[in-house]
Every structure is written in structure tokens, then in C-alpha cells.
Amino acid sequence: MTTKQEWIEKDLKYVWHPDTQMKQYEGSDFKPTLIERGEGIYLYDLDGNKYIDGVSSWWVNTLGHSNPELNKILTQQAQKIEHVLLADFTHIPAIELAERLIKLAGEPFSKVFYSDDGSTAVEVALKMAYQYWYQKGKPEKKYFVSMTDSYHGDTLGSVSVGGIDIYKKIFNPLVFETLKVCAPYCYRCPKNKQCTDCAIDCIKEVEELFEQKHGEIAAMIVEPLVQGAAGMRMYPAEYLTKLRALCDKYDILLIDDEVAMAFGRTGKYFAFEHAGIKPDIFCVAKGITAGYIPLAATITTDKIYNAFYDDFSALKTFYHGHSFTGNPVACAVAVENLKILERDNIIESLQPKIKKLEHCLEKFKELKHVGDVRQTGMIGAVEMVKNKAAKEPYDFAERTGHKVFKEALKNGAILRPIGNVIYFMPPLIINEQEIENLTKIAYNAIKTVTEMN
Ligand SMILES: *Cc1c(COP(=O)(O)O)cnc(C)c1O
């Protein structure tokens, strides 16, 4: 029998892990944790140790791991048809899911374009927006506006609209040119305001840019309410409301990248609901299958769709499709996910959990090296700083966040951080006691790492 140690050796021999400097494992006790199974919010390693999945396995899981109902649908669908192409063919799971998504999103949404993951959903949105303007006779509208420190995926198109150096800088010679506006990062407000006197002044920069360049701008793409990969930076919904108005005024499309936020994370199905707006195009992935298997969708309106709808010879077809577009197993799981969310009132049931998280986060403010504590719905984040008064960050190379992660892991919680930001994004089915357990482990880990020396 292969022992755990042998599996890990083979892992390090053959597997190149994502976002990971593989050399860190050389000569270190710290190795990848080998997970054997999952149940609910817990993951179990090969030795049977149990961990709370505090980050929903990279923001995907919502209804718990190895969920019996989702497992059942997955196997049933695989026995009927595991995959079939979606051009000139269709299947009931793809149809049923599209209908449900459109009904959930409400007017004016009318069409669902499937792809495989968040990055591809964003690629689809960008190409759709550009081709829309092209077919409207405005090919000069070719620029996309996005925020500094934005994240929209790891493929080159999505990296182009991204703004985080570690993902982008090396590839700058390869990506297409985009326009950037300052992100509304409230803890380090670009306008030096406090939340109490904030009048969303940072939106003025957007208006100036739109005013100058709207003739060449196709769309603005945003992460709604939370810039996830930037470190769970959060901003008020009012920003989105104002942005929608500006996009209307200057005839610019609004692309809402809901890949991380949709299906409950913010306390609603879609984050745009908090702002009382509707984007022109929005992207969903991650939670669409409850985090089970890859699937994504780019959802839009007849306004966009009609610009593509013409005789074949007019050459307005949207020539974009992935091998696994609308995979039946993935769509069947997604339909079941939406049925469970509705049947069990999952979104409504989040309110007391959100309150509980708020209460548990309060305690972190007293920690000497916690500069900011923030929350949007079921997401909580704690930003650690070297010096609280000066908001001085820990040096990148110190890996303070990673040290906290390792400490918490020993105590049964998975909190894979972003730089100096420790965050909680647990599966939605977590209960109040478990929120307390998770945050307690994090609190102790931060205290141990930042106050020990
Ligand atoms: C995760 C994420 C993506 C990329 O999704 P993948 O499935 O990893 O390709 C895009 N946009 C946002 C906002 C994300 O959080």
C-alpha cells in the first residue's frame, strides 16, 4: 500500500500546484495537505484530521462537500448523458438551468451563454461587448475600463482587465491595453476620507474618464462590492448605483463579474441587487454548481443579443465555444443547487449567520496587529498590519498571512490568506456555532503569530 508520505513525494514529483512557489516545500516540514474526503463544511485528511473549510475551497463551495443530494443528481445525469456538444444539439439540464437563471436575475435579462469557469465567462463577456459595438457600427469602442487591483481571472483576456501586479506585471507585454480607475478601497481611501464623510468621491475619476473617452470605451468591468483577490476589499453598493448611471449617460456597457459573489455570498442571490441596478452583462461561475464541478455562464439582455441576431450571411455570429460548453452533468448539478437554495430558503437563512459573523469579527479589532476588519454578507476579512496607527503593512516577504494560515491549519481551520489579509468565506450551510469556532481559531492564530515576538 502506498503510504501518505509516498503520495506526498509523488505529488511533489509530478504535480505543479497553482499559485505556488514549489521550492517552499523543499527541506520543509510544511507540505500540501492530502485531503481524502469531505462532508458538510469539513475536509478530512488521510490521517482523519478534520478541518473547517473556511474559504469554501477557493470560494466555490456553498452547500457543503460531498453533498448527498448533489451526488445523486451527478451520478443520475452521468448515467443518462455525460456530455454532448451544445451547437445544433441541446439537453434538458442546459435549458432548465438557463430558464432558472433568467428568472432569478429578472428583467431585462434574457439569454445565457455557457462556458467552463470564471475566466472563460469573463472572456465571453469582453468579446461579446466588443462585438456588440462592432456590429453597432462603432468598432472604435475598443477599450475596457477596470479598477486598480481588480481580478477577473488568469487567462490573458481576463488578465488584461485585471490589475494585480503578481498576476499581471510579467505579462504586460502580452496583454491588451485597458483603462484603469482607482479602486474604492475604503481602508486606504484614495481620497483620504472616512466612511462617515464619504460621498463616493472616487466615482468622479470614473466620470472624468468617461467624459473624455466614452467614444472609445466599450465597457466597464467590475467586481461587485468586494474585490476578492485584492484581499477582500469592500466598497459601498452606492458606488455601483452611481456607476450604472454613468454608464447609461455615456453609452458604456456595464459588465458585472459576479463569479465570486453570486449565489449567496453577499446575502443575496446576486450582488447587483444591493445596488438596485442591472448590469448589461454579468458573469457567474464558482457557486453556480455549489462549487461541485466547473461551469460558468455569461448572462445578458436582448439589447446585446439582438445585435448578433441576423441572417447567416450577415456574419454576426458569436464565434465562441468551448468543448465542454454547457456540460450536462454540470448543468444538472447547478439546477439541483438552485432547487435546494429555493427549497431550503438558504439565502433568507443567511441573515442570522451574517449577524453572528459580524459579532465574531468585532473581537478582532482589539488585536494589536489588526488594522481593519470588514464584512460583506457571509464574507469577513481581517487586514493585519505591522503598525496600526500608520496602517503600515507587513512586508510581502515576511509571509505573515501564510504563518497564520499554517498555525490555523494545525488547529483545524483552512484560512488560506491573501497576503496580510485573513478572510472567512465559509460554505453557506455553516451554522452559528461553527462560525464561532472558525473565527476563534483565526483569532488565536493571529495573536500567536503577530504578538509572540
Ligand atoms: C475566481 C474569479 C474569477 C476566475 O474564475 P476561475 O473559475 O478561477 O477561472 C474571475 N473573476 C472573479 C471576480 C473571481 O473571483
Side-chain angles (χ1 to χ4, degrees), residues 59 117-120 122 151-154 223 257 259-260 285-286:
W59 324 348
D117 52 49
S119 304
T120 55
V122 168
Y151 180 81
H152 297 288
D154 284 342
E223 289 167 87
D257 178 356
V259 166
K286 292 186 171 127

Side-chain angles (χ1 to χ4, degrees), residues 110-121:
S110 59
K111 291 289 183 288
V112 174
F113 192 99
Y114 290 115
S115 63
D116 305 337
D117 52 49
S119 304
T120 55

Side-chain angles (χ1 to χ4, degrees), residues 164-396:
I164 301 177
D165 271 354
I166 56 166
Y167 301 117
K168 185 168 189 186
K169 206 168 170 188
I170 293 170
F171 304 108
N172 269 332
L174 307 183
V175 298
F176 58 78
E177 192 187 345
T178 57
L179 303 171
K180 285 280 175 296
V181 292
C182 199
Y185 177 20
C186 299
Y187 176 50
R188 299 173 197 280
C189 173
K191 304 290 166 199
N192 277 317
K193 295 253 181 166
Q194 305 292 323
C195 289
T196 43
D197 67 353
C198 163
I200 325 276
D201 281 350
C202 46
I203 198 88
K204 287 192 186 129
E205 193 186 319
V206 181
E207 171 136 38
E208 279 161 24
L209 179 67
F210 282 11
E211 200 174 351
Q212 255 177 36
K213 286 227 162 151
H214 62 94
E216 296 169 81
I217 297 173
M220 169 135 181
I221 180 166
V222 291
E223 289 167 87
L225 305 185
V226 182
Q227 286 192 292
M232 300 299 159
R233 297 180 182 178
M234 299 169 184
Y235 64 89
E238 203 186 336
Y239 183 97
L240 286 180
T241 316
K242 293 191 179 223
L243 184 60
R244 174 71 269 182
L246 287 179
C247 286
D248 287 340
K249 182 171 167 191
Y250 292 99
D251 210 12
I252 288 168
L253 300 177
L254 179 59
I255 303 173
D256 175 21
D257 178 356
E258 295 257 354
V259 166
M261 294 302 129
F263 308 109
R265 295 290 177 200
T266 68
K268 294 193 186 286
Y269 271 100
F270 304 111
F272 62 69
E273 295 171 45
H274 294 273
I277 59 142
K278 298 289 170 83
D280 298 287
I281 301 174
F282 73 100
C283 306
V284 292
K286 292 186 171 127
I288 190 175
T289 58
Y292 242 65
I293 32 176
L295 179 70
T298 303
I299 299 168
T300 192
T301 64
D302 277 344
K303 170 180 151 178
I304 304 294
Y305 180 77
N306 289 340
F308 293 75
Y309 195 81
D310 208 332
D311 294 332
F312 181 72
S313 57
L315 288 171
K316 290 185 182 172
T317 305
F318 188 44
Y319 281 110
H320 186 110
H322 300 279
S323 313
F324 288 103
T325 295
N327 174 263
V329 177
C331 288
V333 171
V335 168
E336 187 67 9
N337 170 38
L338 296 184
K339 284 185 187 166
I340 295 172
L341 289 177
E342 190 182 317
R343 182 197 68 197
D344 296 351
N345 291 313
I346 302 272
I347 307 294
E348 295 76 9
S349 76
L350 295 174
Q351 290 312 318
K353 299 182 191 186
I354 292 169
K355 285 256 149 48
K356 178 72 183 182
L357 180 60
E358 187 183 339
H359 178 76
C360 291
L361 284 170
E362 199 54 37
K363 210 167 129 61
F364 286 82
K365 293 180 182 163
E366 72 199 28
L367 285 168
K368 196 168 148 221
H369 291 283
V370 165
D372 192 34
V373 176
R374 42 191 186 251
Q375 182 186 11
T376 297
M378 287 295 284
I379 307 164
V382 174
E383 181 159 340
M384 300 182 296
V385 284
K386 201 164 188 165
N387 182 310
K388 208 162 171 165
K391 302 187 180 180
E392 182 196 347
Y394 281 105
D395 187 60
F396 171 79

Side-chain angles (χ1 to χ4, degrees), residues 48-236:
N49 296 311
K50 174 176 166 183
Y51 308 91
I52 303 178
D53 188 354
V55 299
S56 294
S57 286
W58 266 357
W59 324 348
V60 298
N61 193 282
T62 55
L63 300 182
H65 291 281
S66 221
N67 178 303
E69 288 183 292
L70 297 175
N71 284 349
K72 189 171 155 205
I73 291 295
L74 188 151
T75 46
Q76 278 177 356
Q77 181 57 45
Q79 279 157 10
K80 280 189 217 154
I81 176 65
E82 85 302 337
H83 187 63
V84 59
L85 73 166
L86 203 67
D88 286 330
F89 292 85
T90 193
H91 51 80
I92 292 168
I95 302 166
E96 206 180 343
L97 178 59
E99 182 185 24
R100 281 181 177 270
L101 288 171
I102 292 304
K103 289 196 169 146
L104 268 182
E107 294 275 337
F109 297 107
S110 59
K111 291 289 183 288
V112 174
F113 192 99
Y114 290 115
S115 63
D116 305 337
D117 52 49
S119 304
T120 55
V122 168
E123 298 286 344
V124 168
L126 299 175
K127 288 173 71 178
M128 204 179 254
Y130 179 72
Q131 192 172 336
Y132 166 81
W133 288 117
Y134 182 92
Q135 282 163 189
K136 284 282 189 184
K138 293 186 177 172
E140 67 281 5
K141 278 171 89 70
K142 63 176 191 207
Y143 286 110
F144 290 91
V145 181
S146 58
M147 289 178 185
T148 51
D149 291 310
S150 54
Y151 180 81
H152 297 288
D154 284 342
T155 54
L156 281 175
S158 57
V159 168
S160 300
V161 288
I164 301 177
D165 271 354
I166 56 166
Y167 301 117
K168 185 168 189 186
K169 206 168 170 188
I170 293 170
F171 304 108
N172 269 332
L174 307 183
V175 298
F176 58 78
E177 192 187 345
T178 57
L179 303 171
K180 285 280 175 296
V181 292
C182 199
Y185 177 20
C186 299
Y187 176 50
R188 299 173 197 280
C189 173
K191 304 290 166 199
N192 277 317
K193 295 253 181 166
Q194 305 292 323
C195 289
T196 43
D197 67 353
C198 163
I200 325 276
D201 281 350
C202 46
I203 198 88
K204 287 192 186 129
E205 193 186 319
V206 181
E207 171 136 38
E208 279 161 24
L209 179 67
F210 282 11
E211 200 174 351
Q212 255 177 36
K213 286 227 162 151
H214 62 94
E216 296 169 81
I217 297 173
M220 169 135 181
I221 180 166
V222 291
E223 289 167 87
L225 305 185
V226 182
Q227 286 192 292
M232 300 299 159
R233 297 180 182 178
M234 299 169 184
Y235 64 89

